[in-house]
Amino acid sequence: MHSNSLLLAAATSVSFLADLASAHGFVTGVRVNEGTWFPGADPVWYYYPQGAPATTGWNSLNQDLGFVSPSDFGSNNIACHKSATPGKLYINANAGDSLTIYWNTWPGDSHKGPVINYLAQCNGECTNANAGSLSFTKFDAQGYSSGTWATDRITAPNNFTTTVRIPPRLRPGNYVLRHEIIALHGAGSDNGAQNYPQCLNVKIGGGGSVSLPGGTPGNRLYTRSDPGIRFNLYTNNINYPIPGPALWTGAN
């Protein structure tokens, strides 16, 4: 009886999440060079009686497919989403490889904003890391250009995908990829931006020799008053400053 109740709750939760998926989204997985598929963390993991399945994605308490608000920027929730714990698998890729990141959906008509990618090197295995121990380096960022937001390119043209290239001279090692969309439809008001960080473990090989710089802890990436966080996108002349630390190009 108890087992059946758990399964019924899980099925109900799956239906609930399916309804919410039309509002926001999550990263379902990654393909390396348009080939091998590596699974991300599905928020429904929380309802599985047997526990979370092994994935490359970090599990978090985002069962509402919600966001991290600017009022939470001082906590570790902004690093890899709410109460995130590391995935148990790795994406296997080499420096210079392209990662195609798949979202299950994204409401591009309303939730417009930048797409930003960071890397953090793990001290040992990323599968044993915690969000507060990671320091992130921004290596890829797309904002607003020629009348188009980065989120526009995720939706209709690319079927909810976006591609990022691992810096070709990056030193081999274990890394966490922090992939993030910031939705700005409410960002004209204080605490109105919506951050959707998604973390995945990546084991990078190849012959690169350049190490990441020191990086920035997740809880110091942004403040609620940063120009790219507090931003009114409903203007005729958009000049959007991507928030966060400077873009690093040292291993390109």
Side-chain angles (χ1 to χ4, degrees):
M1 175 73 80
H2 179 64
S3 176
N4 287 341
S5 297
L6 286 173
L7 289 173
L8 178 61
T12 302
S13 299
V14 170
S15 175
F16 176 63
L17 282 173
D19 290 339
L20 281 174
S22 62
H24 304 119
F26 63 92
V27 170
T28 61
V30 172
R31 288 196 189 277
V32 177
N33 296 331
E34 298 294 340
T36 306
W37 171 262
F38 296 92
D42 188 329
V44 81
W45 70 268
Y46 183 82
Y47 303 100
Y48 289 153
Q50 69 273 28
T55 69
T56 67
W58 285 47
N59 292 313
S60 62
L61 299 184
N62 64 331
Q63 283 65 52
D64 60 351
L65 302 188
F67 53 89
V68 179
S69 63
S71 61
D72 212 12
F73 283 175
S75 79
N76 291 329
N77 285 339
I78 190 59
C80 294
H81 222 311
K82 298 174 183 177
S83 302
T85 56
K88 300 305 178 187
L89 302 177
Y90 286 92
I91 298 165
N92 294 305
N94 288 326
D97 283 351
S98 292
L99 306 182
T100 302
I101 300 169
Y102 287 73
W103 286 76
N104 71 315
T105 190
W106 186 256
D109 288 344
S110 59
H111 288 48
K112 296 182 181 295
V115 178
I116 310 175
N117 291 287
Y118 296 82
L119 282 170
Q121 186 157 18
C122 299
N123 183 16
E125 296 294 336
C126 297
T127 55
N128 296 325
N130 64 78
S133 70
L134 300 174
S135 290
F136 295 97
T137 297
K138 182 199 295 181
F139 72 100
D140 177 84
Q142 306 297 323
Y144 182 84
S145 177
S146 302
T148 301
W149 285 98
T151 48
D152 297 331
R153 292 187 288 273
I154 282 182
T155 52
N158 295 311
N159 196 27
F160 307 120
T161 69
T162 181
T163 300
V164 63
R165 187 186 188 207
I166 299 170
R169 296 192 294 126
L170 185 64
R171 183 186 299 275
N174 298 330
Y175 296 84
V176 171
L177 171 67
R178 181 182 183 275
H179 172 72
E180 178 180 48
I181 295 175
I182 305 177
L184 300 172
H185 53 287
S189 300
D190 179 50
N191 205 39
Q194 298 181 0
N195 290 59
Y196 295 84
Q198 308 273 295
C199 285
L200 304 106
N201 300 330
V202 187
K203 188 179 292 291
I204 296 176
S209 60
V210 179
S211 299
L212 287 178
T216 303
N219 60 9
R220 292 172 52 194
L221 288 173
Y222 312 118
T223 73
R224 63 194 293 166
S225 61
D226 285 347
I229 298 295
R230 180 75 182 268
F231 183 83
N232 179 15
L233 60 78
Y234 304 107
T235 61
N236 291 327
N237 298 308
I238 296 177
N239 184 16
Y240 179 70
I242 295 175
L247 185 68
W248 179 69
T249 60
N252 290 350

